[in-house]
Amino acid sequence: MENRPANKGVRDLPRNVERDQEARKERCEQILSVAVQLIAQKGLEATKISDIAAKVGISHGLVYNYFQSKEELFASLLNKNLDSLRHHLEQVVKLPGPALEKLTALVENMLRNQWDDALFHQMFIDQILTSDSIGEELKQSVRERISDNLDIIAALFREGQKEGSILDGDPRQHSLVLMSCIRSATLFKRRELYVRFDAQSILRYFVAR
């Protein structure tokens, strides 16, 4: 009987660790979410760790318990958004049916959800790649991951060309133009320009006639 409290404490230890890990994950997500808001409002260079900490409601120094530097925070934010886009692209590739149907599903989903993550990370990436305060290692990592995502879309265009449904041309150029169109459509909608875009109106520029 005397050993029960000690054993109970041992059994509770993993649960406490799990709780701590979950709490840490939630705090990291909160910090990243606030960082998104501030970067959207102020831009990359003007956003400071102290601003993020103040909006989260924690001390400046406590942020560094979760992210060792401003660049690490930005890298985590980039990875989160790029991973989200990569997952979405991979799910589309797995869909049954011809390539044109998969491309249509891709565009419809992005337009339907306004794809805020994709729009944000593209604007964020633009700032990252042109910032003098961001190291070349992070910039190169971003370039490689963008290239990987474009390769997935390019593979769909290449598949469509083999099926005869997509115009000839460089599949990677097609993929870059497609993502640029989606980004522009989302941006126009956000700015209330009321330009109507749908999957068919965008993809018709790529469809073989």
Side-chain angles (χ1 to χ4, degrees):
M1 295 294 292
E2 293 180 358
N3 291 330
R4 287 182 181 177
N7 290 337
K8 184 177 185 300
V10 171
R11 288 197 299 269
D12 285 348
L13 183 58
R15 185 175 298 177
N16 291 335
V17 171
E18 184 178 335
R19 258 199 311 268
D20 289 344
Q21 291 175 341
E22 187 63 30
R24 181 179 179 84
K25 181 180 178 181
E26 289 177 2
R27 178 65 82 185
C28 286
E29 289 294 327
Q30 184 183 17
I31 292 171
L32 292 175
S33 178
V34 167
V36 168
Q37 297 172 31
L38 291 178
I39 292 169
Q41 294 170 5
K42 305 172 66 172
L44 179 69
E45 298 293 347
T47 300
K48 301 177 181 178
I49 291 293
S50 57
D51 298 328
I52 297 171
K55 193 168 181 65
V56 173
I58 60 178
S59 68
H60 184 164
L62 190 55
V63 174
Y64 293 103
N65 286 349
Y66 301 94
F67 302 96
Q68 294 182 6
S69 66
K70 184 176 179 180
E71 184 165 318
E72 183 181 301
L73 192 156
F74 291 158
S76 296
L77 189 54
L78 275 169
N79 287 332
K80 177 184 176 182
N81 283 275
L82 287 168
D83 286 346
S84 175
L85 180 57
R86 177 64 176 256
H87 175 73
H88 177 67
L89 295 176
E90 290 175 341
Q91 292 300 112
V92 169
V93 169
K94 294 176 183 178
L95 292 174
L100 186 55
E101 288 185 7
K102 295 177 184 179
L103 286 166
T104 300
L106 170 68
V107 178
E108 285 179 344
N109 186 274
M110 287 184 170
L111 293 177
R112 181 171 57 251
N113 296 320
Q114 296 304 309
W115 206 240
D116 288 338
D117 283 349
L119 177 61
F120 167 76
H121 95 241
Q122 184 59 58
M123 297 172 67
F124 186 30
I125 285 170
D126 289 344
Q127 296 181 61
I128 285 284
L129 294 178
T130 57
S131 173
D132 292 333
S133 63
I134 299 299
E136 184 57 33
E137 184 177 351
L138 177 56
K139 290 181 180 180
Q140 185 58 31
S141 174
V142 170
R143 294 187 191 102
E144 291 173 357
R145 296 198 62 187
I146 292 173
S147 180
D148 289 344
N149 284 342
L150 288 176
D151 282 341
I152 296 176
I153 304 173
L156 287 177
F157 277 115
R158 193 173 294 109
E159 181 183 336
Q161 288 172 336
K162 291 180 179 179
E163 295 169 352
S165 61
I166 298 295
L167 288 172
D168 291 337
D170 186 340
R172 277 181 63 85
Q173 288 184 3
H174 284 351
S175 64
L176 181 59
V177 172
L178 177 65
M179 292 304 290
S180 297
C181 288
I182 294 171
R183 177 188 178 188
S184 296
T186 305
L187 190 58
F188 289 160
K189 175 70 173 180
R190 176 171 291 184
R191 293 180 177 174
E192 299 183 351
L193 294 177
Y194 299 108
V195 179
R196 179 176 175 76
F197 286 96
D198 55 30
Q200 285 69 35
S201 66
I202 291 177
L203 287 172
R204 68 187 177 92
Y205 296 107
F206 305 97
V207 174
R209 294 170 177 81

